Amino acid sequence: MSAENEIPVAYEQLEELEDDFEDVELEMLRYQHKLSKDLYARREKVIAQIPHFWPLVIEQSPPDIDEYIQPSDAGLLMNSLTGLSVERFELPDGDPRSIAIRWEFSENEHFENRVLEKKFYWRNAKDGWAGLVSEPVEIKWKPGKDLTNGMLDLVRQVYKDEDAGNKGETEAKKKLKAQMESTGLDGLSFFAWFGFRGPKITDEEHKEATKKEEERRKARKEGKKTDDDDQMEEDEDEDEYEWEIFPTADDLAVCIAEDLWPGAIKYFMAAQEQEAMSDLDFEDDSDEDMDGDEGKEDPPSKKRKA
Amino acid sequence: MSAENEIPVAYEQLEELEDDFEDVELEMLRYQHKLSKDLYARREKVIAQIPHFWPLVIEQSPPDIDEYIQPSDAGLLMNSLTGLSVERFELPDGDPRSIAIRWEFSENEHFENRVLEKKFYWRNAKDGWAGLVSEPVEIKWKPGKDLTNGMLDLVRQVYKDEDAGNKGETEAKKKLKAQMESTGLDGLSFFAWFGFRGPKITDEEHKEATKKEEERRKARKEGKKTDDDDQMEEDEDEDEYEWEIFPTADDLAVCIAEDLWPGAIKYFMAAQEQEAMSDLDFEDDSDEDMDGDEGKEDPPSKKRKA
């Protein structure tokens, strides 16, 4: 890398600083969990008394989330979402970046499940990559009601085939590839999010990679030359997004965990305020469905009424 | 408000929870400051050895920031920005949400200033509003080189006129209003950001409002009925954005403080990586100016090389 040739010492120091900043970030997540877990438990109890709390929150969700919710998703969420929760499930001892997002539903026309939970694990790969990985989640669609048009099932099948050691061109792979190429992913249902996988990293690889990473950091701290770019080329031949029907699902998960979840009351209040304003205007705007974008110019974070 | 009629108790409890969540947020900001201030000092020293560090960071800045940087702003920033720093200047005792953003420049064709600093103060208003306020900052433009076409100067004049008790229709107000109406604010220079003011709140008003807010919270905690919506109507007749040439400047300041500033090394590395990739492709792409959007599909936060 050119920067390394020009300013090798400064570059090494930047890497070392990034290690330390990352440690601070992890410490902050742990502290936040400690400070707020009782509050979230209290919130849970209060929310239970309020009908349609989560649908109203979703309705007011920020653009980074809202952009993925198609009209048919919105209909389903508005009518059937009864609960949402986020848990940093590897705490207190594990990585605070691992998150589980749990959605609860009432009886609905689309699927049989009452609970859909997706777990994202923070993992290290041997090529130096680090990030969130997950397993495709099964949704038991009712006949003719699959919002992903079979793609979620195919993603699951491909994942299972791989686990069974089937590395070649399976039936599911052929079908999925054909469907991805013919329809594309634009406008795909929010529920395709449950299909996200990320790079496949075994527990063993994660452990080894974590250990190697720790050794590298230690060496860097002691001012020794590390093997960074020399031996750590990424697997260039692997297409990371080949079987991904929702490639930004990890970013969306982080956005849910860091914005929608902590800000739920704020978004709920914004929904209430919007409704009150509609009432003031003497408009007959009492049905709450899908007016997602109205009144968003003034973000609730900026203005709060005491 | 309709929600209050339906579920008054739950609604009061949500307000109380929001108070507690806000306390956690403040505590987190204070803790972050404590944990990371030495790291930022170390980073400052390392950065000083790297030419064009901040221009390269700006070049890779996320869309929420990048969207405000016009081509002529980019030229100026690429060639003359020599330093950037963010300080939570009311810490350790004051509000951690108050932020000062300081930009350093080398000799350039547009203005005489070597330093432009903008301070945002977290303030409470008597109508229950809370948020960031600021004072328009003077930029000493060279003749014919004002990127805001005189608007920044006019905003400053209006602000000064108001301070002098001049509440009527002054010359500056007339001119500013005419210019805002004729040209609009789309595509206005990033440097208009220095003109942001927010609602005008005196120190006295802030102190009184803060005290009242604390009393309200205490009452809420003790389960007493608070005077929330009855007596706390916002001043409906005031147009909050009347003299604002950069209405979202406070959001942008928060984005700089919470994303660009802590993520600077990450963005710098992304710039280096991009350059290295261009080299690999045998493309003659060595001039670094204004290719802001390239290679952004894979956000640096997701993928990091150890």
Coordinates of all heavy atoms in Angstrom, one line a residue, chain A residues 87-92 95-96 98-101 118-123:
Chain A
E87 N -31.2 -8.0 22.1 CA -30.3 -8.5 23.2 C -28.9 -8.7 22.8 O -28.7 -9.2 21.7 CB -30.9 -9.8 23.8 CG -30.5 -10.1 25.2 CD -30.8 -11.5 25.6 OE1 -31.6 -12.2 24.9 OE2 -30.2 -12.0 26.6
R88 N -28.0 -8.1 23.6 CA -26.6 -8.4 23.3 C -26.2 -9.7 24.1 O -25.7 -9.7 25.2 CB -25.7 -7.2 23.8 CG -26.1 -5.9 23.1 CD -25.1 -4.8 23.1 NE -25.6 -3.7 22.4 CZ -25.2 -3.4 21.1 NH1 -24.5 -4.2 20.4 NH2 -25.7 -2.3 20.5
F89 N -26.5 -10.8 23.4 CA -26.6 -12.1 24.0 C -25.3 -12.7 24.5 O -25.3 -13.7 25.2 CB -27.5 -13.1 23.2 CG -26.8 -13.4 21.9 CD1 -26.0 -14.5 21.8 CD2 -27.0 -12.6 20.7 CE1 -25.3 -14.8 20.6 CE2 -26.3 -12.9 19.5 CZ -25.5 -14.0 19.4
E90 N -24.2 -12.2 24.0 CA -22.9 -12.8 24.5 C -22.4 -12.1 25.7 O -21.4 -12.5 26.3 CB -21.9 -12.8 23.3 CG -22.3 -13.7 22.2 CD -21.1 -14.0 21.2 OE1 -20.3 -13.1 21.0 OE2 -21.1 -15.1 20.7
L91 N -23.1 -11.1 26.2 CA -22.7 -10.4 27.4 C -23.1 -11.3 28.6 O -24.1 -12.0 28.5 CB -23.3 -9.0 27.5 CG -22.6 -8.0 26.6 CD1 -23.3 -6.6 26.7 CD2 -21.2 -7.8 26.9
P92 N -22.5 -11.2 29.8 CA -21.4 -10.2 30.1 C -20.0 -10.7 29.7 O -19.1 -9.8 29.6 CB -21.5 -10.2 31.6 CG -22.0 -11.5 32.0 CD -22.9 -12.0 30.9
D95 N -18.6 -11.1 23.3 CA -18.5 -9.9 22.5 C -19.8 -9.1 22.5 O -20.9 -9.6 22.2 CB -18.1 -10.2 21.0 CG -17.6 -9.0 20.3 OD1 -18.2 -8.0 20.3 OD2 -16.4 -9.1 19.8
P96 N -19.7 -7.8 23.0 CA -21.0 -7.0 23.1 C -21.5 -6.6 21.7 O -22.6 -6.1 21.7 CB -20.5 -5.8 23.9 CG -19.1 -5.7 23.6 CD -18.5 -7.1 23.4
S98 N -22.3 -8.8 19.4 CA -23.2 -9.8 18.9 C -24.6 -9.5 19.4 O -24.8 -9.1 20.5 CB -22.8 -11.2 19.5 OG -21.6 -11.6 19.0
I99 N -25.6 -9.5 18.5 CA -26.9 -9.1 18.8 C -28.0 -10.0 18.3 O -27.9 -10.6 17.3 CB -27.3 -7.7 18.2 CG1 -26.7 -7.5 16.8 CG2 -26.8 -6.6 19.2 CD1 -26.9 -6.1 16.3
A100 N -29.0 -10.2 19.2 CA -30.2 -11.0 18.8 C -31.4 -10.1 18.7 O -31.6 -9.3 19.6 CB -30.4 -12.1 19.8
I101 N -32.1 -10.2 17.6 CA -33.3 -9.4 17.4 C -34.5 -10.3 17.3 O -34.5 -11.2 16.4 CB -33.2 -8.5 16.2 CG1 -31.9 -7.6 16.3 CG2 -34.4 -7.6 16.1 CD1 -31.6 -6.6 15.2
K118 N -33.6 -13.5 15.0 CA -32.3 -13.6 14.2 C -31.1 -13.2 15.1 O -31.1 -12.2 15.7 CB -32.4 -12.7 13.0 CG -31.3 -12.9 12.0 CD -31.6 -12.5 10.6 CE -30.5 -12.8 9.6 NZ -30.2 -14.2 9.4
K119 N -30.1 -14.1 15.1 CA -29.0 -13.8 15.9 C -27.8 -13.5 15.0 O -27.5 -14.1 14.0 CB -28.6 -15.1 16.7 CG -29.4 -15.3 17.9 CD -29.0 -16.5 18.7 CE -29.3 -16.4 20.1 NZ -28.9 -17.5 20.9
F120 N -27.1 -12.4 15.3 CA -25.9 -12.0 14.6 C -24.7 -12.1 15.5 O -24.7 -11.6 16.6 CB -26.0 -10.5 14.2 CG -27.1 -10.2 13.2 CD1 -28.4 -10.0 13.6 CD2 -26.8 -10.2 11.8 CE1 -29.4 -9.8 12.6 CE2 -27.8 -9.9 10.9 CZ -29.1 -9.7 11.3
Y121 N -23.7 -12.9 15.1 CA -22.5 -13.2 15.9 C -21.4 -12.4 15.4 O -21.1 -12.4 14.2 CB -22.2 -14.7 15.8 CG -23.2 -15.6 16.3 CD1 -24.3 -16.0 15.4 CD2 -23.2 -16.2 17.6 CE1 -25.3 -16.9 15.8 CE2 -24.2 -17.0 18.0 CZ -25.2 -17.4 17.1 OH -26.2 -18.2 17.5
W122 N -20.7 -11.7 16.2 CA -19.4 -11.0 15.8 C -18.3 -12.0 15.7 O -18.0 -12.7 16.7 CB -19.1 -9.9 16.8 CG -17.9 -9.1 16.3 CD1 -16.6 -9.4 16.5 CD2 -17.9 -7.9 15.5 NE1 -15.8 -8.4 15.8 CE2 -16.6 -7.6 15.2 CE3 -19.0 -7.2 14.9 CZ2 -16.3 -6.4 14.4 CZ3 -18.7 -6.1 14.2 CH2 -17.3 -5.7 13.9
R123 N -17.8 -12.1 14.5 CA -16.8 -13.2 14.3 C -15.5 -12.7 13.6 O -15.6 -11.7 12.7 CB -17.4 -14.3 13.5 CG -18.4 -15.2 14.3 CD -17.7 -15.9 15.5 NE -18.7 -16.6 16.3 CZ -19.1 -16.2 17.5 NH1 -18.8 -15.0 18.0 NH2 -20.0 -16.9 18.2

